Amino acid sequence: MALQTSAEAPLPVGEVSRLIGGWIDRLGAVWVEGQITQLSRRPGAGVVFLTLRDPSRDVSVGVTCFRQVFDRIADVVTEGARVVVLAKPEWYAPRGQLSLRATEIRPVGVGELLVRLEQLKRSLTSEGLFALGRKKPLPFLPQLIGLVCGRASAAERDVLENARRRWPAVRFEVRNTAVQGVHAVDQVVQAVKELDDLPDVDVIVVARGGGSVEDLLPFSDEQLIRTVAACRTPVVSAIGHEPDSPLLDLVADLRASTPTDAAKKIVPDVGEELDRVRQLRDRALRTVRGLLDREERGLAHALGRPSMEHPRRMVDERASEIDALVGRNRRVLGHLLDRADSELAHTRARVVALSPAATLERGYAVLQRADGHVVRAPEDAGTAGDVLRARVSGGEFAVRVAE
């Protein structure tokens, strides 16, 4: 509708509505899937009014059909049922309202739902949302537990009573939501996000009792699955009974078969823990006593040794040995010194007998020239008239060389 308009030349509301209606009339029929949230069958009226809502998004659209079209499935379709509708968009110009004119309505059976869930499961599995490596461990003792469940439901009672029976001090942050129907997905998603944003919440439990496949569909919704996958807080799925297996079980960090089982898995039993503490304490006490007994026996054995009973005996024995060794060393050293003294005397006598002084005493003399050289041969005496120094035993005197 590329129209030339301005503030001075606007289009009337009726003309705009007519143009929109003309554009919508050119649209063809489409197959639409949704969940019936409102159903109006006025007695005597030839038209049935429905509101069709997208379970995953807050979007709805009005649907009208002739009574004979709806009568074909009136026995199997009620509010909350999922249907597939063949409809053509219509524009109601007087009110400016868009609706769908249905010419065929088909209920979505359980088999079709299971096929679609299987397709969604394979798609999310390929993205890695169900991988074990993404699972976060649960804390041993959560101080604050976030609980998403129906208001005044058996699931809420089972989780609260069993958890408090196991650990009375545990605290809960409860978010009551719709757990089936058209508003369940939005409310559960919003509750999970709120609890995940609370820093004190240690674990989130999404709990619901058993039900049919259609009743549990909100817990296989793609929007909820992706919300749980993005949580930083560990999430526990406690939906239905043991055979029930919505997709929330696969993406959650822990799957509990029932709400009661969830309480047992997230909170330790105070009695069991006290027994475990007592067992560990007794075990530690036995270990310490065993160590003390062993050390006492070792100490008694050590004190019973002769060296401990008579500590000076070893010193006395060693003192006698030392005295003997000292005496022996003194005797050996005396012998060594005597032999060395004797050898020294003999050596001294030989040295004295062979010394130059002894030779001089026997009448010999040593002649030296003026430069100190000793005269060993006649030619070393020099020329006639040279003065030599003669050294004898009693002293020195000068001599002159004759011709």
Side-chain angles (χ1 to χ4, degrees):
M1 297 186 301
L3 303 176
Q4 298 294 328
T5 61
S6 65
E8 290 74 20
L11 286 177
V13 173
E15 181 65 14
V16 173
S17 181
R18 184 188 66 80
L19 293 172
I20 295 175
W23 180 77
I24 291 177
D25 286 340
R26 293 195 293 272
L27 299 177
V30 293
W31 285 99
V32 182
E33 180 186 359
Q35 191 171 23
I36 298 176
T37 58
Q38 292 182 352
L39 176 60
S40 176
R41 301 173 64 189
R42 298 174 184 173
V47 178
V48 178
F49 297 90
L50 306 90
T51 299
L52 203 61
R53 184 179 184 277
D54 188 332
S56 300
R57 297 173 178 82
D58 191 14
V59 178
S60 59
V61 63
V63 179
T64 61
C65 66
F66 292 113
R67 177 174 289 274
Q68 55 267 30
V69 173
F70 186 80
D71 286 345
R72 299 171 191 165
I73 46 88
D75 295 337
V76 295
V77 171
T78 58
E79 288 188 2
R82 288 200 178 201
V83 295
V84 176
V85 177
L86 177 61
K88 184 181 184 304
E90 286 187 346
W91 181 257
Y92 186 61
R95 293 184 181 177
Q97 183 176 357
L98 176 68
S99 64
L100 299 176
R101 170 70 68 172
T103 58
E104 184 178 353
I105 302 176
R106 297 181 184 178
V108 177
V110 175
E112 294 174 294
L113 289 176
L114 293 177
V115 170
R116 295 181 184 180
L117 287 179
E118 186 62 28
Q119 292 174 347
L120 178 60
K121 177 181 176 181
R122 286 197 297 267
S123 174
L124 297 177
T125 301
S126 64
E127 294 183 30
L129 266 64
F130 303 151
L132 294 179
R134 299 184 67 259
K135 307 295 184 183
K136 296 178 286 294
L138 269 64
F140 168 72
L141 179 59
Q143 301 299 311
L144 181 62
I145 300 174
L147 177 60
V148 181
C149 57
R151 185 179 301 277
S153 62
E156 178 181 7
R157 183 179 63 255
D158 290 345
V159 174
L160 296 180
E161 290 183 358
N162 284 280
R164 287 168 177 163
R165 187 180 298 118
R166 292 172 63 84
W167 198 275
V170 69
R171 296 181 295 117
F172 282 90
E173 186 73 24
V174 181
R175 293 291 185 273
N176 294 122
T177 66
V179 291
Q180 69 182 58
V182 295
H183 302 293
V185 174
D186 289 340
Q187 292 184 15
V188 173
V189 167
Q190 182 63 29
V192 170
K193 289 182 178 179
E194 288 180 4
L195 293 174
D196 188 48
D197 290 337
L198 295 177
D200 295 336
V201 173
D202 298 319
V203 64
I204 300 173
V205 180
V206 182
R208 185 202 189 281
S212 64
V213 175
E214 294 87 345
D215 292 339
L216 299 181
L217 277 179
F219 300 97
S220 294
D221 186 85
E222 182 176 359
Q223 181 184 0
L224 177 59
I225 300 305
R226 295 189 181 279
T227 299
V228 172
C231 285
R232 61 169 184 82
T233 308
V235 178
V236 177
S237 173
I239 305 301
H241 302 299
E242 182 65 37
D244 300 323
S245 182
L247 296 185
L248 180 61
D249 287 351
L250 301 178
V251 74
D253 300 292
L254 178 67
R255 188 250 180 183
S257 57
T258 62
T260 300
D261 183 50
K264 294 179 179 179
K265 288 184 175 180
I266 61 178
V267 178
D269 185 88
V270 62
E272 294 177 358
E273 297 305 319
L274 288 176
D275 290 340
R276 185 175 291 109
V277 170
R278 282 193 291 269
Q279 292 173 5
L280 292 174
R281 184 182 59 190
D282 294 342
R283 180 180 175 184
L285 185 59
R286 289 194 301 271
T287 302
V288 171
R289 285 177 175 172
L291 291 174
L292 291 176
D293 292 342
R294 187 180 65 185
E295 296 301 323
E296 285 180 355
R297 290 193 299 270
L299 182 59
H301 179 70
L303 292 175
R305 293 180 178 178
S307 59
M308 298 299 293
E309 292 181 351
H310 305 284
R312 292 188 57 84
R313 177 183 297 176
M314 185 180 295
V315 176
D316 295 340
E317 292 175 354
R318 295 296 180 269
S320 300
E321 294 178 1
I322 291 173
D323 293 340
L325 291 174
V326 168
R328 180 181 176 184
N329 288 340
R330 286 177 177 174
R331 290 192 299 275
V332 171
L333 182 59
H335 293 322
L336 292 176
L337 290 176
D338 292 341
R339 185 171 62 184
D341 183 64
S342 176
E343 292 178 355
L344 181 60
H346 290 299
T347 302
R348 181 174 178 279
R350 288 196 300 271
V351 170
V352 169
L354 297 176
S355 66
T359 302
L360 294 178
E361 287 180 356
R362 291 197 298 269
Y364 291 94
V366 178
L367 296 179
Q368 290 178 312
R369 295 187 310 189
D371 55 6
H373 284 82
V374 177
V375 178
R376 291 182 173 83
E379 57 271 17
D380 293 337
T383 60
D386 290 342
V387 178
L388 301 177
R389 188 174 62 233
R391 183 177 179 183
V392 295
S393 176
E396 296 178 357
F397 56 87
V399 296
R400 189 179 300 277
V401 179
E403 293 183 3

